[in-house]
Structures are given as structure tokens and as C-alpha cells.
Amino acid sequence: MGRWMLHLSVGLGLLAVLLTCCYAEVNYCFASRAKTCSECLQSGKGCAYCPDETFNGPRCDLYENIIAHGCIKSDFSFSSITWLTAQEESINIALQQSQVSPQQVSMSFLPGEEKVMDVKVFSPTKGPLDLYILMDFSNSMADDLDNLKRMGNELAVLVKKLSDDYTIGFGKFVDKVIEPQTDMRPRKLKEPWPDSDSPFSFKNVIKLTSDLNEFTSKLQRERISGNLDAPEGGFDAILQAAVCGDKIGWRKDSTHLLVFSTESAFHYESDGANVLSGILMRNDENCHLDDDGKYTEDTNQDYPSVPTLVRVLSQHNIIPIFAVTNHSYTYYTKLQTYFPIAEVGLLQEDSSNILQVMEIAFESIRSKMSIRAEDRPKAFLADFLTSSGSVAQYGALNIKPGAIGDFKMRLKAQRMIDDQPVCGMNPDEKEGTMRVKPTTFNDAVNVKASILCPTCACESPKCHFHGDLVCGKFINPLKDKKIKIKTRVAKILVFLCIGPGMTEACSGRGDCLECGTCVCYNPDQFEGQYCQYDRTQCQRFGGFLCNDRGSCVMGQCVCAQGWEGNACECPKSNQTCLDNNGGICNGRGKCVCGRCECTNSGNEMTSTCELSAQVVLGACESTRSCVQCQSWKTGEKKDEEECNKCFFKSVMVDELKEREKVTDVCSFRDEDDDCTYYYTVDLSKDPALNPGGLEVEVLKKKDCPPASLLWLLPLLLFLLLLLALLLLCCWKYCACCKTCCQSCLALLPCCKRGRMVGFKEDEYLLRQSLLTSDHLDTPMVRTGPPKGTDVVRWKVNDNVHRAPNHPQALIKPNPKETIQFPLSLRLNRLFSENLSRPESRDAEQLRKEVADNLNEVYKQIPGAQKIQKTSFRMQRNAGKRQDYTIMDTVLSAPRSSYPDIVKLTEKNVQSGNFSDLKVVPGYYTVETDREAAGAVEFQEGVESVDVHVPLFVKDEDDDKKQLQVEAVDVPLGIAEIGKRLVNITIIKEHASSVFSFLQPAYTYSRQDGVANIPISREIVEDGRTQVTYRTRDLTAKDKKDYVTVEGDLNYGPGETQKLVPVRLLELGEKDSLLEDKQVKQFVMDLSNPRQGAKLGRYPRTTVTIADSPEPSVMMFKKGTQNFTTSDPSYVIPVVRTRNTDSPASVKWRTKKAQRFELSGPLKFGPGETEKNIVIDPKAHPGPIKPENFHLELFDPSSNASIGDRKTTMINVTDGGGPFRFYFQKGYSSPKCSSPSGLLMSPGNPKAKATGPRNIRLNWEPPLGNPLGYKVKYWIYGDPEKDATVLDVKTPQAELTNLYPYCDYEMRVCAYNAMGDGFDTDVVTCQTLEDAPGEPGRLAFNVISPTVTQLSWAEPAETNGNITAYEVVYTPIDDDMKPVGADKKVKIDNPKKRMLLIENLQNAQTYQYKVRAKNGVGWGPFRDATINLASQPARPLSIPIIPDIPIVDAEAGDEYDGYLMYSNEVLKSPAGSKTPSVSGDDYMMNGKWDQNFLFPGSSVTRNMSASSSPMSTLSSNYRGAGGTRTHEMMGDGVTTTDVIMRKRSENRAYTDEHIRDSIVMGDIPKFPDLGNLQPHSRFTRVPDTPSRLVFSALGPTALKVSWQEPHCEKDILGYCVLYQLLNGGDVKRINVTNPAENSVIIQDLLPNHSYLFKVKAQSQEGWGPEREGVITIESAVDPKSPLSPVPGSPFTLSTPSAPGPLIFTALSPDSLQLSWEKPRKPNGDILGYVVTCEQLHGGGDIRSFQVNGDSAETSLTVQNLTENVPYKFKVQARTTQGFGPEREGIITIESQDGGALSQYNSQSTTRREVFQLPTEVNTRTNVSHTMINDPYFSEGMMMTTQHTETSGIMTRQITKEVVQRSVMGGTTVTKKMFYES
């Protein structure tokens, strides 16, 4: 306890120190280092300047500091603020309109000054309202218009409800009347649809009016119109409705609402549609309505942009309400986020609920009153405070309509902006009029604010010789150079410069001037009249000068505000002395220098003089002796002298306080009289009365034991004997009593006959095929008088027909096995229809309540898990309780816990409560897989109830099985059991035959010509039977790859197998030229079995057409083999993988051997995977000596190839001898080199990066006398033969001129006269980061003369991880000089290397600069200059990629302070093919000339992989670095890939034929996670297998793969262990072939988690295990939870892996990948790593890093290739490392298999995804798409996709509707995916 208190005291002390830091203020006056008086006064409020000529202190400082330094008070300057309220009229509630007060305020601020002003606002309950309805009049809105016409009366009621002073108007819009938006054929221009008006852009139909009859009558005359494309021109209409205030009729003092109704998306500026129209001019934001209200500039000006629309609506105080249908709802919800206030409502398809949407939106707007400061100058910051003084988040204030609300505005003038003094900024940035207003108001407080930049009158020169004396300061005309004033010694009055007690003039620290004044050499250090004070020699506290809370002035500390003391160590505030009650030192001390000095109370105190926790916790024990002596004069302190030392005084009372009102209640036994005394202890509330801090009250009356009662013992013994005698008599006459009791009951009128209960029937006979439920409701009846209640307990046993010696009965289940226990309870709640729908709110709430309470009860059962699969139903024939809810759920627990679960369930049912869950007593059911128990209740008057008996139907049941149900007893009631037993017999019918394919997949070679597919028949009852077969396309196509077949197979008696021939076709000439051919597959299905037959295990088989057999791969098992001269033979193993079913051969030969040249063939038979090459060294002439030679494999057979290890190194060393023993044991040996005289490898090599380009390598010298050392180093991934060699003489080396942030590998060897010795192991090290290089060349997509899209490439030399970019653009003149202020934009996401800049000045030249930042800091700028007006017209389509930052060049701080990100709202169908590029970049034949990244010849650069679509170069590199050589040949560009230096990378495990995979490993993916540690090369026991890959093959089948671990010795095999995660038997699989690194495991349980372990074995033993937990999730048969539904989808899951991958195609070359966060990640998630690679090889592996910890994360991947399968892997990165990988395979297929062409080809593909409402769920995730059942119909292709919905597997049908239309010779293919 003492140590704990010490820690607590230290912690409180540290907290006190931290709190005191809050009161220190920065001396910004002194910190400004102002050079002039004016600069000083402009530094901020309170700054003063001392113009005294003899003043030696800091001239610019706070006023109080200047005075303390000795400045004459009348000679300082300072300034103050001004504040004037120009207009303030009080609010008049009677006006019933929005008002603010004051109306006009003028303020002047010093830099850094802030002011708080009070503002009052009034929002009327029903203020003036202008409601303008703007409706889409395209043909699809015809029914919407008809509904609006019919709602005239309802609309009138609504507007009167919203406001007493209203106007209402109406406008309509379609789109620009020009191609391609509108059909320009004359017939269609006149009437685009039957009974419709001509097309138009926007028309103001009804001006805002208060006459509802006029509004309704004009609306009735309106007709619909039409256009071509889906997005409408609503933005044009919104802008015209805003800027044409007079023509629309907006009133000044009203709330302006604009209801925008449509069912389509919108066009926006530069979205590409207007390029086809030829409209290039930006919208000028002016009104262009003619006298008829029509918009006249629709064909001349572009649509407005989103930022423009936000700004214009805000300027005109218009609040938009977007009333849209479900088709475009998501677009407008994202658009809503850009507006300061806006609402989005969901319309029905016919807009029948538009009035409800308007009303809800209006009420929402009124409740969202927030305050904004518009047009705020950049130099000011504005905050809005509530009346209590707290800052309102986003300006949101609780101001109720109809009442005057007040708030405070805190306006602060900044001192510095971007390291520039605010007084040096442009005038328009430091002064202006801002409008402070609620977002729903028109009125505003106009605050005219300006920065006061004072100047000094003393700034006039006074000296005319060597310089100027300005404000008391000597100014040298030579600026920075100092002039030494030299005078004759005779003229100097030296004695005036010598102070009292001094011997040197100016203390030897300065020069003495003519006037006898000292000028100190270093004024920043020395000061005073004689330079006698040193500013570094004041008192220190904690090692800091003046405690870092003040300045050293004239030898003393001048403290900052809030501090005092000789060293400024004491805070003036008493905040650090406040106790828990807010008092000072708890009233038991005083606050001195920020710390409490407590009076001595005899108790241990805290730092605030409160009793310590130790005293409080031990209050009883510490006060025991004192209470005893003060109250009873007893105890160990009963001496008066000792008793007087007690630190408190106890008080005797008649009654003690309640326990809740005191700190503790104590009781002890007094040893003197054996009585117990009681007292209470409480903390004293009056320290004066109780200086000890405790109030003790003692109960006057003790509790003493009574006198001795020994005389009662004989009496008690006598009574016990009498009781025993009575019990014996009762037992004797028990039978008689019982008979008498029954006879008496029978004599009563109501009980003439006894009540009997029992089953109604004796036996039930059921056929399994006719069962519709897994339970049987068995009626139980009651006879006799139905008075009272009877509860009957029952039980059921399965398979009672089996004899005890039956084989199945002899198999005893594992008691530790975890099984499922279905439970049923009757809840004390009536059943409702909502509870039958699992997705309803009522069911979800009740399900949660049940789970919480049942889990709380059953946690007492050891090994019990949480309940699941909870559902609700009614139980028919349940008496008076049948309307109550029956709850069914499943509890998983060990099998042995069944009796405990039954007892615990019965106990809680009897009590009527499961924790807080109310249940009805008398009903429950507990089941296992072979028995069950339960209870039913007969209420009064009930004669029959049903028993819900489980039937335990399983596939392994006997053909005829029997269950027995037994009524056990009646625990409640007087009924007797009559018919006790009922038997249930279930008969299982058998099929006469079972048809099935022999295996689920076959592979045939195209060269075979025919695929003979066997169909097997299992005969149960012999006879004739028939089955239908049929083939279907997958990737193989009918009449292109094979010829489809279908028909019936007839089997006669005894026939068990038939073959179905399928003709295979040769490859076409076009397909044979393709290098990356798709795997061709088709399926054959069995169906319609007849004559009593059924389908078996494999009703479908997949046939793969192999163009040529996959070759075997043969290679050496290890790259190095070690032998000794004493070995009898050299055995070198060669392994074979792939296609091991056919024979193969390869030849081998020796190279560079001293005594022999050997060669020969090596032949593998079918199934053989390993063969040995055996060399007998004794069979060749000459002595056997140590040597090194190679073995090489060559000339494989036609069906084989040679793998990576084509050669192996054979090292033959001296056998035996003392050298190896001494070396291994570590002893010194006279033999310090190898037998050949070469030195051994140096020991313990260590590498450490000392800089971005330096690594220091150290090692220990080997035994012997080395002449020197050779250090080889190379970039990780490069071949070692290209290493740089460094010769050094000492055991250390400094590697220089390296690449920053790059992985290097290195070795060291010693050498002597005999040559180079043995190398050390490879040592790895990564150099440190360095500042990045300049970004790649800037590229511009010129959208208009005022809008451009700027993009740039990642720096060629990233030198680390790029974390941010900064873009600066400045208007300049012809001389490259700025003519305006810089605009800076920081982009924190390094992936967004693109910026859309709007509202640039027309025809103005801008300079654009971009720089990158990494962990070291900012790199240099890359700049470019461009005038947008001089650029050619825009290309076909501008690539506005999702999530591009958008900035408005002309907007104020409201846009400059944040970045707007476009998403799907601003997404263009295709990207630009011809962007404009600054500088001297060129395009050749439509491709980029990429030489600008590598000027000159081939240069090695450090590149990083990128995901940006504009980075066309860096996305092509493998890994995290690489180079590319470019050579110009003719008029094209030829690119050649060259492997240069790489960063740390891990090659991914690849396996093709998988459905869903999860990879588990511990190898980091990026080098920034730490340096790689080298493996020991002398590991004799295998390492841990580096990766585990789980691939689901079916709902019960799993493939487990791993990578070969590192080991010096040969690996002999592997062991795979697995078991259920919650316990059970451990199963073991031994893999004796070391070349095999995978196993397939069948018969797993679906939806059960398994723990897998894999380890490897060598001659030295087993290595460590690699573990992984995996679950195959699948739909299961409700009758048998352990049996998956045949053909059901399945997926893998693990708690630490990301959720299933969801792919959404965005275009033919891009997709969006999304996933859910892991359920149970190991550590906090920092982000994710995504890799993408082509499934069948080719292309580069691309890596992406995604930051964040969202519930669902997404990534857009560009630059993909159509019709090519890709494998994606997602891995979570946490604080503990990397988690398992989730893998998925996806292919983006085009309609015709071809790629998109250029604009000249006039072919465009567009894909849209619409979410249709579904009754099953609200969100469907596609985990992985596997096309199984393609069906074809006219105009529609349907494919089956596997989906995962909230953990439940369903099947998803995706309908792909292909629509084609012709537009001006351009073919447009539009794919719409309707997902349900």
C-alpha cells in the first residue's frame, strides 16, 4: 500500500506541474524580434517599444517587462482597439419576421486581439415563406406531374400550415436543347412524346404569388416534355432561379425555399456531355430569362459547377430541398454535404408523397439553425458561443422559433498567417465587412472589421555622421555590417564607464563611447549600464532559466503573467492546490508556491491535504484502539497518556447513521468484557472541529452475549429422542395414511374421481419423405375434474429399437464434444405478427433481450457459448397460453453438461425469470442430438395440450427407427399419470438406383478429340431405370470448343456405368495466337431420374479442356548440398511437381569437378515425385579431397520443364578431425583455417544505417591472421554477382553513396595469402529516409479557360514514404513576377495526385508548383507555367476521377480552408486520352513519350508503385522500386523492362483453382515495418512454415497449403494437425513427400471453427508450428445443422481476416474493391495492404496501402485489362503486425470481348448499378463471383452469383440488360445491373 501511495503522490505531483503549464503565456512581443518600433507595435496587443537612447534591454517587449528593464515610463508607445456600434435597433416580435440585433458594427483590432460581442436573433413561429417548386419535366416524370396537379387543395393546406405570410411559385426544366442531350429532329423538337410540349432548358412558369387559385389553375395547363440522356439540366435551372430574383419574385425578409424534384442525376460543368455539343463557355452566373421566363443561354454556356452552385445559393439565401426518387437518391445525398444547409427527401416513384417530403424537410431546416460568418477576411477567425460560453459545434445553436435567442460571437485577429505578419498582408485580406447570420435568415449583422497596424512617430533620423538614431536605436547605413567607433583615448571619459567595485570599463564586455555610455559587445547576452548583467546567470528551477516561465532582466527573473518567485517557479494561481471539493488544501493547510503545506494531523495526507486512500480504506483498523480507550477506557491505549495522543475525538450517540451516509461502519469485540461495540467513521466536513480529518460516532450500547445456557442441553436431547419416535410411527402407518387421503378426496363432490394425465395415442408411424417438420406435436390429455393446474415433465429418447449390443449403440459419444442444445421457452409476452419476421424491429429488440439474459444465466455452464439462431413462434393447442410467444434458440456446450442445463433451465422456469427476462412457468424444452426433456402445463379448465417432440432425423438413421416419449412425473398438481409412453416410428424409403458422376471434375486434352465422361449407377433394387444428361457452357463455348450433347441414358438390369462422348474441337487460328488463353471449361448436369432412382453425390461435373498437358517441373531439391570426404556416397535429390501422373525424364551432368566428369538420365515413373542422383567418390581415380563442384539439369522430356533450381552446389569438406569439433564448441584451436588453408568466416556481422546514404558494418575477426577483408554489398533483389566489393584492413567498413530508403544485402570474408576465406551469412539493412525529389512532370487537362485539372507523377526519388503533397499556384506577368497572392493547397492523401482548380482568372498566366513530403520533410518544387486560354479545345471526355480534391480559385476562406472531394456525383464515364502537358513533353502515335522521367540514357531511379490512373509509368513497376529503359526507334517508343534495384518484397503464394482463400503469415509487406533479419544459415531444425493458405473447395472440404521453411538439413516431411477450436479429438495427417506442400481435408463440419497446425521435420527433429484458425461458412439443412444444403454457396472466414471481397465494375478497365473490417483483429487496425496481379501470370504485381479503420473500406483500381482474370489480396495492418490475407478472383468481361477504342472508333461503354428494394435484406455483399449456371433468353443474360448476407449465404441473380441505341453514328453500349 505504501508503494501504491508513493506512485499516486508522484502522479499527482506530475499532474500539478502539467496544470501549471497551462497558465504560461508566450511573450510574442519579444519573440517577434521586431527590427523597428512600428514592427514591434504591430506584433500584438500589449507590445511596447522603448525609445530611450541609453536603454540596453530588449526594446520590444510586453509593457510591464519594458518598465522592469528600466525604460522611462513617458518614453514608451502602445496602441489600443476601437469598437463602435453603428446601428442597433431592438428586435420587434410583432413584425413576425427574421431579425438580428445589432445590425451594423465597426471594429478595429490589434494583431492577436480578440473581442466577444453579443448578438440577438429572432425567428418567428410562422415567418414569411417563399416556396419555389422546380420540377423535372422529362417524360419519365409524367405521373409525378399528374399527381402534383391533383394535390392543389393539399398544397394550399400545407403552405398555410407552414406560414401565415407565404408565396408559392413553379418552374420546370428538362435539359439543353442541343445534341446529344435532346433529339434535334424537327418532329421530335415539336413534340418529343405524344401530348407533350417542345423541349426547353428552364422556364419560370408561375412567379411567386400568394394567390393559390391562380397557382393551381396555371399548373393544370402544364404538359410534360422530354430529352434523350438520363442526367438532366437541373443545375442551369437552379442557378437561374437564384440569380433572377426579380423575375422569380423572391422577397427580402422571407425564408427562401427551393424544392427541386427529379428522378434523374444531373449534368455539371465539364462532365463531358457539352464537349459533344460544342459548348465551351463557362456559366457567367447572370440572369438570362426572357419575358416568357425561358432561359436563353442554354446552348451557349456550360452547366454551373458544384462549388459555383453552393456559392450562389448561399449569396442569395436560398435553401435547396432535393425531392428525388430512389434511382438518384445516393447522388443527391452526397451533393447535400457540400451545402451549408440543405435537405434530401425520398420520393415515391410517382411523387405521391411530395407534400410529406416538403413538410418534413421544412421542419428539419427550422431545427438546424446554425450561424455562419460570410465574406470573412482571411486575417480573422470567428467562433460562436452559447450563452454559457461554450463553443457551438459548427455554429449550431438551440434557438427556438418564436423566442428571442442570444449568442456570442468571438472575433479574433490573427497575428501571423503562414509565417507572415498579418500587417504585411494585402488590404482586402485584413479588412472587410462580414455578414453574421443564421443559415435560414436573410438579415445579418454586418461587422466591419479591420486590423490596426500602428506606427511610431519617433521613426525620424537624428544623427548625421556615421548613421541614424531612430527611436533610440543606432542604425548603421551599411545595414548588416557593424561600424566600430574609434576615438582617441584622451577624449573618452573612461571613469563614467566603470561601475562601483569594477576595475574594467563596461565590465570588459563592451566599448565605452565618447559620452561615457557603454555599448555591450553582445546585447542579447549582456545588459546594464556597465554591461554588468549576464542574461544567462539568473536563478534556475529544474535546470531551466527562470523555469522557462520568464526572462532574465538585470540579473533577476521577470516572470510571465501568472508566475512569481525568484526563479518564476511559483504559479500565482491556486489551481494546483484545489481539493476534490473545490476548496484550498482541504482547509487543513495553505497553498504556498502552488503546493499545499498541510498541518500535522497525525494521518497520511495527499498533496491537497486530504486523507490518503490508505487511511480511508483502513479507517476502522486505524481508529479501533482510540475508540476503545476514549469510550470504554479499555484496550491497548487505556492509559490516559497514550489515549491523549489520538488524532481525533469520538462522540457517543444513541443511534448510528446509516451505512450509505458514512465512510465506513466498524465493529470490534472488546477483550475485557467480551462485548461487541459499534461505531461509524466519516470524513470531517469542518477541519477546525476535527483537525484529524475524521468524525467518529460510537454507539453507547454494547452488544454482550447472554448468560450460560448449559442447563438446556438435557432438555434438547430429550426432545430429539421424542421426535425420532414420532417419525418412526409415521413411517409405519404411511401406506394407510395415503389410502385414507385418497379416499377422503374421492368423497368430496369436486373430486369424486382422481385427475389423470397421459398421452392420447399409443404409437405414430411416419414416412421420412413426407415429413414437413423436424418436430411432431404429440397431444397429451387430462381426465377428471379440470380444477387446478398440473405440470407434466416428459422426456424422449432416440433409436430405442436398437439392442444394447447394436454396433451403433456400442459407440459412446465424446462427453467433451461441443454440441448444440436447442432450447424452447414460453415468454411472458403475447405473440405479434412482427415477431414472425426476423428483420422487424420488434423481433430484433426481443432477440437482443433474450440473448443478453440467457447468456447471463447459462454462463454458469462450463464451456457454454453464447446462444444463436433465436426465433419466435406460437404453439397451437397450448391451453390458455397459446397466444403467448414461444422462443426457440440454440445453446452450444459440452455434451456432458446436458443434465446441468436441464436443471438450470427448470429452476429458472419455475421462478418465472431468466435473469431479467420474464417467462411463463410450466413450459420448457431442452434437446440434444439423441434425447430431450421438457415440461407442459395444464391450466385450469384445459383438457388437452401438445408436446413438441423432436424427431432427430439424420442421414445415418436406420431404415426404420423408433423414438419413445415418456411422461415422467407431475411436479406440480395432484394428477396421476395414466398412459405414460408413446412410440414414434419413422420409416426411411430407399431409391432403386443412385446416379452420379464418378468425380466432380475431369480434364481432357484437346488432342484427344473426344471426352468420354462416365456416369455411374449404384443399384439398390435391380431393374430398368433412366436419367437425363446435358452439357452447358462456362468459359468453353458450344461449336467453338466442343459440341454440346443432351439426351437420356437407359440402364438395363445389372448395368452400372455408361460413357457419354463429347466431341472436342480444335483451336481456331485466332485463339491459337493468343499468349494468355483463358482456361476453357463446360459442365455436364444429370437430371430427371426415373423408375424410383435419385441423384447421388456428384450430380454435376466440370470438364476442363487442356490445350496441351501441363508440363512437369523438375529441379534440385536444394540449392546447396554439403558432404564430407568420409561420406561413402553423395546423394543429391531431384524433385518433380505438377502433372505427376505421366512419365518424364531429364538429364544431369557435373561441372567443374576435379576428378570426374559425370552425366546420365533421370527417369520418373507415373506418380513418382523424387529421384536421387548417387555419386560414388571412391569409384574414380585419385585421392578424395575437399572440393566444390556443380550439378546441372538439362534436356528435359517433351512433357517436362526445368524449375528454378537448375543447378546445385556440391561442397565437399574434410571429414572428421578436431577442427569441426573445436569450431562448434567454441574452443580455440591451433588449426585456425580450413584444410585448404582458407580462413573461416568472420563472426557476428552487424549492420546499422547511419544516414540516408550510409551503412556501417562491423564484425569480429576470425581465427588466424587475416591480411584484410572484402565486403560485398548489393541492392536487395539484385543478383549477388553484381555486388560492389570493398577492400578494408580493419573489422569494420563504412558503405557510402547508397540509395536512400533502400534495402541492401552484404557479406564479409577474410583473406590471407591462400586467397579469400569463407563468406558470412547475408546481412540486410535499410538506409534511412531522405527528403524526396521533385514530383514528376506536371500535366494539365484544360477543361475551360478558367478550369483546369492538374496532375503530377510521384517523385522519381521518393526516398521514403510520401505522406502529402502541396500545390501552390500564383498569377504572374510576362516577366514571371507575381501579380496576385499565392494560393496553397495541402493534399494529405498521397494517392490523390490530382487537383481540380475552378474560377481561375480568364486569360491569366499562372505558375503552378508542386512538392512532396515524406518522413524527413518537404522536397523541392516542380513548377510549370501555363495560360489556359492559349490551350486547344478540350478533349472528348475529362477524367474527373472519384475523390479528386476540388478548389475554387476565387472563393474566400470558406473554400480555401477545406477541400471538396468529388465522388460518384462527379464521375465521368471515361478518361481523357490526350491531356495537355506543360514543358517540352510530346505525344507520339497517341502514346506518352516517357523520356522526361529519365533524361539522357538509362538511369537507375528509385520508383514507387502507385495506384493513380494518371501515373501511367509508376504503376507498371513490380514491387516498390524499379527502373525502365526507353529507346527511341523510328517514330515510336520501344520499352524494355530491366530488373534494377528493388525494395523489400515478398513473392506471393499462387494457386489457381480456388474458390475463396485466406492466407496467414507473418512476413511484413513493406520495409517501413522494420529491417529484415537474416535467417541463420546453420539451422538444423526447420523454421516455421512461412505462410498458411486456406482454400475452400466445398462447404465441407478445405485445401491447406504452406511454403517450404528454411532449413540447412533436408526436409523429410510435414505434419498437419487439426481439431475443432472449442475442443475435440486432434486429427493428424503425415506428409512423407517433402515436395508436397498441400493437403486436402474432407468431411469438415460447416460453420465450425477449426485450429490447424503445420510443422516440418528434418533429421534433427520437428520444427515449430504455424497455426491458423479457419471456418467454412455455408447454408445448412435446418433438419440437420451439420449437413450443408447441396449446391449451396460457401465462403471462408476467420476473426482476424478482412470480410469477403466485394467487386463493383466501374468501367471496362477499372473496378471498385471493398471489404469489411475483421471481426476480431489482433490489435488496432492502422490500415490495409492490397495487392493485385493477373491470375495466370503476366503484368506486374501492384500494391496499394489504404489507411483508416472504417467498418467498410473501399479502393478504386484502374488500368486493368478486359477479359483477364485478376487475383486480389487484402491484408489488415495492425499495431501487432499483419493479419491473414483475404483473396478473391474477378474478371471484367466486355460485351464483345474487345477493348474500348479511341474517339475515332466512336464506341463507348457505360455501366450503371441500381439497387432495387428487396424483401430479404437491405444490403447484399458479393463475396466472390463464380459463374455456375448461365442461362440465356432473348435480350437478357442471367448469371448466378454467390453472395454473403450478414453471415447467411443466399443466391443472387444478376440480370444484365444490354440496350443499344444509335446516336449520330456513334454506337453506345449501356449496361445496367439490377441487383436484388
Side-chain angles (χ1 to χ4, degrees), residues 1233-1255:
S1233 62
S1234 65
S1236 58
L1238 302 179
L1239 294 172
M1240 298 307 298
S1241 61
N1244 196 22
K1246 294 182 179 179
K1248 180 180 180 181
T1250 58
R1253 300 180 183 275
N1254 300 78
I1255 292 177

Side-chain angles (χ1 to χ4, degrees), residues 1602-1624:
W1602 57 90
Q1603 281 188 342
E1604 177 184 350
H1606 175 79
C1607 182
E1608 182 204 6
K1609 292 290 185 179
D1610 292 340
I1611 292 179
L1612 303 180
Y1614 301 91
C1615 174
V1616 180
L1617 306 171
Y1618 67 101
Q1619 69 176 134
L1620 284 167
L1621 187 61
N1622 52 18

Side-chain angles (χ1 to χ4, degrees), residues 1619-1622 1645 1647-1651 1669-1672 1693 1695 1719:
Q1619 69 176 134
L1620 284 167
L1621 187 61
N1622 52 18
L1645 297 179
N1647 304 320
H1648 280 61
S1649 297
Y1650 283 87
L1651 172 65
V1669 178
I1670 204 72
T1671 306
I1672 307 179
S1693 72
R1719 296 197 302 261

Side-chain angles (χ1 to χ4, degrees), residues 722-735 737:
L722 182 62
L723 179 62
L725 184 60
L726 291 175
L727 290 175
L728 183 61
C729 295
C730 291
W731 175 79
K732 181 69 176 177
Y733 295 99
C734 180
C737 291

Side-chain angles (χ1 to χ4, degrees), residues 1457-1478:
Y1458 67 96
L1459 297 177
M1460 296 173 59
Y1461 290 93
S1462 66
N1463 208 303
E1464 296 163 6
V1465 176
L1466 305 175
K1467 183 168 59 183
S1468 181
S1472 172
K1473 305 297 182 183
T1474 56
S1476 304
V1477 182
S1478 67

Side-chain angles (χ1 to χ4, degrees), residues 1086-1132:
L1086 299 179
S1087 61
N1088 194 21
R1090 294 181 283 279
Q1091 283 84 37
K1094 70 175 184 178
L1095 299 181
R1097 183 175 184 183
Y1098 299 121
R1100 166 178 291 182
T1101 187
T1102 302
V1103 181
T1104 302
I1105 305 175
D1107 295 326
S1108 60
E1110 187 179 25
S1112 294
V1113 178
M1114 292 175 285
M1115 58 184 171
F1116 287 106
K1117 190 173 182 179
K1118 299 190 68 175
T1120 303
Q1121 310 280 342
N1122 299 315
F1123 302 98
T1124 66
T1125 55
S1126 59
D1127 290 336
S1129 62
Y1130 307 153
V1131 180
I1132 300 98

